[in-house]
């Protein structure tokens, strides 16, 4: 890619969107107020599992301000479909996964605390909430299935048509090769691992505002969502049966998502359907208690992992058995997270010859579980890096040395679990991290801690992830029910300024800056002359949205392909202006010139000529300088890195101090290093939150959520997170023109095993469950059960 000498590519350009966010000028879904606005509140189940015997709405309907009340029966009578799952997984025996109905409002049964039973629409939010309290529901309580290790064969069935509560029993890899390798192994390391359940907590809760226009029978939905086109597709095609041309979905500024806003949820679907029946706009904004109960949760795996090695610590085979929680219903991408996005990453950075994973997904009477920052990749990395660390201890080897000797060193590399890594240099980031962490000085620091009665530990994590989610052909073969391409449209205005329309969605990633940097570099124009538009199905071409660290590698490449078309057309216009053949025209630094001469014309003159076409023949070229493109990559991208964590533990109190945290990543080429650093810092904080203190808990008997507020669900504060030492190495991606890999999830993927490896090293224990709370640490440090 030809870029100007002072190209904005690689520069830490300040985020252009921050000015409006910091001055309160951002517009979020809850800020939208339409003429005739009404408000919705949902009556939610107080039980984890119960049969609905009757619903009495008489008192609620008479309450002040009530406009309409809807129940599941209303939607059933209207033949409204259930919420779909977007990924089909088959069990080992070839049987398709069990897909029980996921009604928009409960029909017949409620299946988790917080399940939607009825929706009240009223003139004010307070009136809607008051009316909810007047609805009388007669429930017959049923046994609740909560513990995922006991879900299969439980006396209670979450769904009557899934009597054993197993959604699928899936396998991946070669069982025969793994069994053979284990039979000849000199040593086998084993661990039992729990990947704790997490509750997303974006700053902005979920929100929706739906309206119906009678004269053209159209709908408009404002929604806090990461992929508005997918939201519209799923809602129209699978649930409401509406023409997509009649539904406009707008995702304005969104205050964080972390995956939890990818999915099609019941609330916004109910609002769209009801807006026609009410004849007025309906707004719903989740409160924080609702968010804890109903936002799709993350992780929640129980795993047994075994690593077979020869006498020198070379990896021979990996065997993994995982039970994964789906919750009460299949959320939009739930089925793919513990399978396609998990087991395919179990090779890690290592040339393990044989790998076999078995994943049993079960239904429980808890909130649905789906993708959360990293989506399967953090779970896989945790399994791999914990067992590698344990193997080093079992073999009495240096944890860096055992990794080094097993690293993949030749690329491209086809793993035994179906991926082909195109490029990487794992030794480079390991060596750099070791130097930055001053591992050579660690023994002295450990001795100093011991002299104070403290315990010190050092932990490594060498992660890899597959991101840039696509390609469509591979995803489709693995069960995806939609393509995973991305779209971009670039409009050049007569004065040479540019508007870019992208199917990717920005909710904290800084697209308005980085995408503008890419276009500005390609066209040789100032960044300020590029505007980025996203999040509106009425304005942008069909795209698949933002998740899986795909925005720049997939969405950015679609934009680059559109810009390439503009440059190609610009050369034809310039050739006419310069009286030359278009094959002789070169474009560089914003200037078209005739090769080997000093004849040139700037980009702005070409763009003006495109719209004032008296200077070139219309019979040869259409006016205008607008182009669009779709991009479907040929492979994932594979960011990787080494994280090193050093902790000091006070055995008297269980308090853990992170003394230092080093993160060295390979994201390929960096467009904006400052934004990348911010993504890594935030990801590390989120990953350390999981490792140290975040943990969702339900009562195993009643199914009540025990961590339903910030009083019970702890998240890290500034004082809990160290200043992360950041650096990077670069091996460019080989299959996109920018050479980028993706950085949005890495911090959350690499940090939990680094922390737990450091903590178990300090405590001298094989395993400590996440979250490693102060109490758990104290018990482990003092050998108290």
């Amino acid at each position: 890619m030809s870029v100007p000498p002072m190209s904005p590519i690689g520069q830490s350009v300040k985020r252009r969107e921050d000015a409006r966010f910091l001055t309160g000028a951002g517009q979020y879904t809850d800020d939208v107020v339409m003429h005739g606005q009404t408000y919705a509140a949902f009556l939610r189940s107080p039980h984890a599992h119960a049969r609905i015997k009757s619903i009495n709405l008489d008192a609620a309907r008479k309450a002040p301000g009530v406009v309409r009340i809807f129940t599941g029966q209303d939607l059933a009578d209207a033949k409204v479909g259930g919420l779909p799952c977007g990924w089909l997984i088959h069990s080992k025996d070839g049987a398709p996964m069990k897909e029980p109905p996921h009604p928009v409002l409960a029909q017949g049964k409620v299946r988790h605390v917080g399940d939607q039973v009825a929706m009240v629409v009223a003139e004010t939010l307070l009136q809607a909430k008051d009316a909810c309290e007047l609805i009388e529901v007669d429930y017959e309580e049923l046994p609740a299935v909560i513990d995922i290790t006991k879900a299969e064969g439980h006396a209670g069935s979450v769904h009557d048509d899934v009597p054993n509560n197993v959604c699928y029993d899936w396998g991946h890899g070669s069982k025969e090769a793994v069994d053979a390798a284990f039979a000849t192994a000199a040593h086998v390391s084993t661990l039992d691992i729990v990947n704790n359940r997490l509750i997303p907590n974006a700053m902005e809760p979920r929100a929706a505002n739906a309206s119906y226009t009678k004269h053209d029978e159209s709908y408009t939905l404002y929604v806090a969502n990461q992929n508005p086109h997918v939201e519209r597709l799923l809602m129209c095609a699978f649930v409401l049966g509406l023409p997509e041309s009649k539904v406009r979905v707008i995702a304005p500024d969104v205050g964080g998502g972390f995956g939890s806003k990818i999915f099609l949820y019941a609330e916004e679907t109910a609002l769209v359907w009801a807006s026609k029946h009410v004849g007025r706009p309906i707004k719903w904004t989740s409160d924080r208690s609702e968010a804890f109960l109903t936002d799709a949760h993350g992780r929640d795996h129980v795993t047994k992992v075994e690593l077979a090695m020869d006498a020198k610590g070379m990896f021979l085979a990996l065997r993994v058995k995982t039970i994964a929680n789906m919750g009460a219903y299949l959320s939009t991408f739930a089925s793919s997270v513990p399978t396609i996005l998990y087991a395919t990453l179990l090779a890690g950075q290592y040339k393990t010859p044989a790998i076999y994973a078995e994943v049993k997904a079960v239904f429980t009477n808890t909130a649905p579980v789906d993708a959360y920052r990293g989506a399967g990749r953090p779970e896989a990395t945790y399994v791999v890096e914990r067992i590698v660390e344990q193997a080093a201890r079992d073999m009495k080897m240096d944890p860096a040395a055992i990794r080094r000797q097993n690293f993949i060193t030749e690329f491209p590399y086809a793993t035994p679990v179906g991926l082909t890594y195109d490029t990487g240099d794992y030794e480079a980031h390991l060596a750099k991290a070791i130097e930055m962490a001053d591992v050579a000085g660690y023994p002295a620091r450990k001795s100093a801690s011991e002299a104070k009665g403290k315990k010190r530990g050092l932990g490594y994590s060498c992660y890899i992830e597959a991101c840039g989610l696509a390609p469509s052909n591979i995803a489709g073969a693995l069960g995806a029910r939609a393509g995973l391409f991305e779209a971009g449209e670039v409009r050049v205005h007569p004065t040479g300024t540019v508007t870019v329309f992208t199917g990717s969605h920005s909710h904290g990633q800084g697209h308005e800056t980085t995408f503008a940097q890419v276009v500005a570099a390609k066209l040789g124009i100032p960044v300020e002359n590029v505007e980025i538009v996203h999040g509106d199905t009425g304005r942008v071409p069909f795209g698949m949205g933002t998740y899986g660290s795909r925005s720049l590698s997939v969405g950015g490449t679609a934009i680059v392909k559109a810009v390439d078309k503009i440059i190609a057309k610009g050369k034809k216009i310039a050739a006419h202006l310069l009286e030359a053949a278009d094959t002789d025209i070169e474009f560089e630094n914003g200037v078209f010139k005739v090769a080997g001469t000093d004849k040139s014309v700037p980009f702005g003159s070409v763009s003006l000529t495109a719209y004032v076409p008296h200077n070139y023949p219309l019979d040869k070229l259409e006016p205008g300088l607008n182009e669009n493109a779709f991009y479907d990559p040929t492979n994932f991208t594979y960011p990787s890195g080494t994280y090193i964590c050093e902790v000091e533990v006070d055995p008297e109190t269980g308090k853990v101090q992170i003394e230092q945290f080093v993160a060295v990543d390979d994201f390929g080429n960096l467009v904006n290093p400052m934004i990348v650093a911010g993504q890594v810092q935030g990801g590390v904080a989120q990953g350390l939150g999981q490792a140290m203190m975040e943990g969702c808990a339900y009562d195993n008997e009643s199914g009540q959520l025990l961590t339903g507020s910030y009083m019970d669900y702890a998240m890290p504060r500034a004082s809990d997170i160290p200043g992360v030492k950041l650096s990077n190495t670069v091996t460019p991606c080989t299959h996109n023109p920018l050479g980028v890999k993706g950085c949005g999830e890495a911090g959350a993927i690499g940090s939990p095993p680094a922390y737990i490896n450091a903590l178990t090293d300090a405590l001298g224990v094989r395993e400590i469950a996440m979250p490693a709370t102060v109490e758990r640490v104290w018990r482990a440090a003092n050998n108290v059960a």
Side-chain angles (χ1 to χ4, degrees):
M1 184 179 68
S2 177
V3 295
M6 294 302 292
S7 166
I9 294 286
Q11 302 299 313
S12 292
V13 177
K14 290 184 178 180
R15 287 175 26 130
R16 303 164 70 193
E17 47 270 78
D18 285 350
R20 74 172 185 275
F21 294 146
L22 294 173
T23 58
Q27 186 182 55
Y28 300 86
T29 298
D30 191 59
D31 294 325
V32 177
V33 179
M34 292 184 271
H35 179 70
Q37 186 75 68
T38 64
Y39 297 83
F42 288 87
L43 177 69
R44 300 189 180 277
S45 170
H47 304 294
H49 196 196
R51 203 172 307 280
I52 300 173
K53 298 177 69 175
S54 65
I55 302 177
N56 187 335
L57 304 176
D58 292 344
R61 282 174 173 150
K62 297 174 184 176
V66 171
V67 178
R68 287 288 295 272
I69 302 177
F70 301 96
T71 67
Q73 188 60 52
D74 295 313
L75 277 74
D77 292 344
K79 295 183 170 46
V80 172
L83 303 180
C85 180
W87 209 293
L88 176 62
I89 297 296
H90 288 81
S91 291
K92 289 179 287 187
D93 62 4
M97 67 187 187
K98 300 294 192 299
E99 293 186 78
H102 185 178
V104 174
L105 296 177
Q107 298 176 15
K109 286 175 69 174
V110 290
R111 293 181 171 87
H112 67 92
V113 174
D115 209 351
Q116 296 81 224
V117 176
M119 180 177 72
V120 176
V121 180
E123 299 290 349
T124 70
L125 178 59
L126 185 58
Q127 289 172 333
K129 289 184 174 182
D130 286 346
C132 278
E133 297 184 5
L134 298 176
I135 299 174
E136 299 176 4
V137 184
D138 186 7
Y139 294 102
E140 175 192 347
E141 284 196 69
L142 301 170
V145 182
I146 304 299
D147 186 339
I148 64 172
T149 64
K150 299 176 181 178
E152 184 179 9
H154 192 280
S157 294
V158 179
H159 297 275
D160 296 342
D161 53 351
V162 190
N164 66 349
N165 293 316
V166 175
C167 176
Y168 55 76
D169 186 0
W170 181 82
H172 188 60
S174 174
K175 185 178 187 301
E176 295 76 15
V178 166
D179 289 345
F182 270 82
T184 62
H187 181 81
V188 174
S189 290
T190 65
L191 277 178
D192 293 308
I193 290 171
V194 175
N195 216 298
N196 47 320
R197 186 180 183 119
L198 302 175
I199 302 177
N201 276 281
M203 291 179 68
E204 179 201 17
R206 290 191 294 120
N209 197 338
S211 63
Y212 171 74
T213 303
K214 186 175 183 179
H215 76 267
D216 62 357
E217 298 184 324
S218 68
Y219 300 78
T220 300
L221 171 66
Y222 288 86
V223 62
N225 187 272
Q226 296 175 218
N227 46 4
H229 274 289
V230 175
E231 170 101 357
R232 184 178 70 168
L233 171 64
L234 297 177
M235 186 184 296
C236 291
F238 296 96
V239 188
L240 300 181
L242 297 171
E244 286 179 89
S245 60
K246 293 295 184 181
V247 179
R248 181 182 182 186
V249 177
I250 302 170
D253 289 326
V254 173
F258 312 118
S260 69
K261 291 174 183 170
I262 300 172
F263 323 121
L264 177 64
Y265 284 98
E267 290 87 356
E268 60 255 29
T269 307
L271 261 65
V272 170
W273 178 80
S275 65
K276 179 177 180 178
H277 296 270
V278 171
R280 293 168 60 185
I282 311 173
K283 179 192 286 190
W284 169 79
T285 301
S286 171
D287 61 34
R288 193 57 67 178
S289 293
E290 284 183 295
F292 273 93
L293 288 170
T294 65
D295 287 4
H297 294 174
R299 317 288 191 249
D300 209 355
H301 290 189
V302 173
T303 297
K304 180 179 180 64
V305 56
E306 302 168 279
L307 179 62
M309 293 169 285
D310 68 13
K312 296 182 179 179
M314 297 299 296
F315 302 163
L316 302 177
L318 185 73
R319 180 188 288 144
V320 176
K321 292 185 178 180
T322 293
I323 302 173
N325 199 347
M326 297 289 98
Y329 303 102
L330 283 177
S331 179
T332 307
F333 297 111
S335 57
S336 68
V337 175
T339 51
I340 304 306
L341 300 180
Y342 168 66
T344 56
L345 267 297
L346 289 172
Q349 299 183 13
Y350 311 108
K351 50 181 183 283
T352 309
I355 299 173
Y356 183 65
E358 293 180 327
V359 179
K360 188 170 290 185
V362 297
F363 291 110
T364 63
N365 292 116
T366 62
V369 179
D370 209 319
Y372 177 66
R373 198 170 189 170
R377 284 72 56 83
E379 296 92 316
T381 296
Y382 191 71
V383 167
V384 171
E385 288 305 294
R386 285 291 295 118
I387 194 62
V388 168
E389 195 85 1
Q390 186 59 48
R393 295 170 189 174
D394 292 345
M395 301 292 288
K396 295 180 172 51
M397 294 180 66
D398 177 76
I402 198 171
R403 288 175 165 86
R404 277 194 170 104
Q405 73 178 30
N406 285 285
F407 273 160
I408 297 163
T409 56
E410 297 181 1
F411 297 88
Y413 179 84
T415 75
V417 279
L419 298 180
T420 298
Y421 303 162
D422 63 328
T423 184
D425 186 345
Y426 308 144
E427 167 59 30
H429 48 66
L430 175 61
K432 194 168 196 176
I434 288 173
E435 180 183 359
M436 290 173 62
D438 184 24
V439 173
Y442 171 71
R445 297 192 296 274
K446 184 177 178 66
S447 296
S449 292
E450 290 172 348
K452 298 184 296 181
K454 306 288 181 68
K455 297 176 180 288
R456 186 175 285 256
L458 189 75
Y460 292 80
S461 173
C462 294
Y463 79 90
I464 191 169
E465 60 168 321
C467 58
L469 285 186
S472 294
N473 60 337
I474 295 177
L478 296 174
R481 287 165 163 166
L484 292 174
F485 54 83
E486 197 48 84
E489 179 182 355
V490 179
R491 297 181 189 175
V492 179
H493 304 293
T495 57
T497 60
V498 175
T499 302
V500 177
F501 299 84
T502 174
S504 298
H505 185 275
S506 181
H507 43 279
Q509 292 84 353
H511 293 174
E512 293 173 40
T513 303
T514 52
F515 285 6
Q517 287 179 255
V518 169
V519 173
K522 287 283 291 182
L523 294 178
I525 62 177
V527 171
E528 295 76 16
N529 286 3
V530 183
E531 178 193 14
I532 307 297
V533 177
H534 64 91
D536 185 345
T537 64
R539 298 184 67 190
V540 304
F542 189 100
M544 298 305 294
T546 295
Y547 45 86
S549 299
R550 70 192 300 272
S551 293
L552 192 57
S553 60
V554 186
T557 298
I559 293 168
V560 167
K561 288 169 69 69
V563 172
D564 286 341
K565 293 180 181 181
I566 283 170
I567 292 171
K569 184 174 181 179
K571 287 181 178 180
K572 294 179 180 180
I573 299 172
H576 184 78
L577 292 175
L578 297 171
E579 298 180 333
D582 55 11
T583 54
D584 292 333
I585 300 298
E586 298 175 343
F587 180 69
E588 188 175 8
N589 297 346
V591 175
F592 295 91
K593 65 178 181 180
V594 181
T597 75
D598 59 358
K599 296 175 62 177
S600 66
V601 61
F603 177 75
S605 295
V606 169
S607 64
L608 181 61
T609 302
Y611 289 94
V612 186
H614 61 270
N615 287 324
Y616 69 92
L618 288 175
D619 60 333
K620 294 183 179 179
L621 210 58
E622 293 180 349
L625 206 52
N626 298 340
E627 297 289 351
N628 57 44
F630 289 85
Y631 176 63
D632 198 340
T634 57
N635 196 357
F636 301 102
T637 68
Y638 299 99
S640 61
T642 296
Y643 291 1
I644 298 178
C645 181
E646 188 171 331
V647 301
E648 186 180 71
V649 181
D650 184 345
E652 292 186 0
T653 64
K655 179 176 173 56
V656 180
Q657 180 70 37
I658 300 176
E659 294 296 326
Q660 67 167 339
F661 196 101
V662 170
V664 181
D665 300 283
D666 177 3
F667 298 133
N669 294 331
L670 304 185
V671 172
N672 188 314
M674 179 187 68
I675 288 179
V676 169
Q679 288 286 309
V680 175
Q681 292 271 7
V684 167
Q686 214 155 2
L688 290 177
Q690 174 180 6
M692 296 189 297
M693 59 189 69
E694 291 189 52
C696 170
Y698 284 89
D699 182 88
N700 278 335
E701 296 299 322
S702 68
Q704 293 295 322
L705 180 63
L706 302 178
T707 51
S709 75
Y710 292 138
M711 293 294 291
D712 312 297
Y713 186 91
M715 289 198 299
R717 295 160 293 186
S719 59
D720 299 308
I721 304 299
V724 182
K725 299 177 183 177
L726 300 176
S727 189
N728 67 286
T729 59
V730 177
T731 58
C733 176
T734 59
H735 54 80
N736 69 61
L738 295 169
V740 298
K741 295 184 178 182
C743 68
E745 298 160 301
I749 292 170
S751 53
Y755 179 84
I756 296 297
N757 284 341
L759 187 56
T760 53
D761 180 50
L763 297 173
V765 298
R766 290 178 60 85
E767 179 63 10
I768 186 168
M770 294 191 295
T773 60
V774 169
E775 179 186 357
R776 284 177 174 170
V777 172
W778 179 84
R779 289 182 180 277
N782 294 279
N783 198 26
V784 176

